[in-house]
Amino acid sequence: MRLRVEFTTEPFDLDEAPAHAVVAREVVEAAELDAVDVGPFGNTAEGGADRVLTAVDALLRRSLEAGATRISLQVNVVDEPGVGEGER
């Protein structure tokens, strides 16, 4: 199964990326996920379920430790090419 995670960390700082945002990016970039896209207002990453879930755990723990006061995330199952509905 493939998953896509979308997340933001707060509080925002438009002048400089806060420590918790930097940590969150480092986590997803180091997790060997596919299609990592980081931006100032949201981030996405996609990959196998085990890697995504492990990254989400590390993302939550490390971002909170680095000062995040709120983390919003959404996890979606992504259709795998060539896999029929009954084959998942």
Side-chain angles (χ1 to χ4, degrees):
M1 175 187 318
R2 291 183 59 76
L3 300 175
R4 178 182 302 123
V5 61
E6 301 174 45
F7 66 92
T8 58
T9 61
E10 296 179 37
F12 293 114
D13 183 341
L14 297 177
D15 295 325
E16 185 176 335
H20 56 81
V22 172
V23 165
R25 287 184 213 143
E26 290 172 353
V27 168
V28 294
E29 289 172 346
E32 298 182 25
L33 300 174
D34 307 325
V36 174
D37 182 27
V38 290
F41 300 108
N43 309 282
T44 61
E46 187 176 310
D50 287 340
R51 286 189 180 184
V52 170
L53 294 173
T54 298
V56 166
D57 178 65
L59 167 84
L60 292 171
R61 293 174 188 277
R62 294 190 53 208
S63 296
L64 291 168
E65 289 170 359
T69 57
R70 178 179 177 152
I71 302 168
S72 301
L73 66 89
Q74 179 173 310
V75 178
N76 295 301
V77 175
V78 179
D79 289 333
E80 295 185 54
V83 177
E85 285 296 319
E87 299 177 47
R88 285 191 201 150

